[in-house]
Amino acid sequence: MGEWVEVATVADCPPGSCIEAVVGESIVVVANVDGDYYALDGICAHQGGPLAAGELSGCVLTCPWHGWQYDVRTGKQLLSESIRQTAYRVRESGGTIQVELPKP
Ligand code: FES
């Protein structure tokens, strides 16, 4: 089990929104889907777009640059079985959002 890193307060990421955070040396996007939090690699697998600046609709996050779409629950790109953003474990604790920094 890795280290849990506090990235925001729950007020920073209300339902239907997403935020960018730095976890270790990685940029992640944290999404709130109806009160459930999910965290993915925040750099789009296509050409590096900032996923946190994309649009979240339900559990689908659309990259702002060219429209690739990801299921934030899994990291899976919706049109390709072989493309998947790294997913991180995320939890709420004491009014904060925490993302697990995987062990190297
Ligand atoms: S960089 Fe995300 S769709 Fe192109």
Side-chain angles (χ1 to χ4, degrees):
M1 194 149 147
E3 172 191 353
W4 289 95
V5 178
E6 185 178 314
V7 296
T9 68
V10 294
D12 294 327
C13 189
S17 71
C18 54
I19 57 170
E20 186 171 272
V22 176
V23 179
E25 297 181 358
S26 300
I27 294 174
V28 303
V29 54
V30 177
N32 181 336
V33 180
D34 297 329
D36 293 324
Y37 297 98
Y38 302 94
L40 302 178
D41 178 354
I43 304 299
C44 181
H46 181 218
Q47 291 183 350
L51 290 180
E55 183 177 325
L56 181 66
S57 178
C59 59
V60 175
L61 178 58
T62 302
C63 178
W65 282 7
H66 316 99
W68 280 24
Q69 294 184 307
Y70 300 90
D71 186 327
V72 296
R73 298 169 300 180
T74 61
K76 191 175 160 306
Q77 204 260 20
L78 295 190
L79 294 178
S80 171
E81 287 291 328
S82 63
I83 299 172
R84 184 182 293 260
Q85 295 290 102
T86 298
Y88 295 83
R89 295 176 67 198
V90 57
R91 70 183 183 188
E92 179 185 339
S93 178
T96 67
I97 301 168
Q98 301 177 348
V99 174
E100 187 180 33
L101 178 61
K103 283 189 172 176

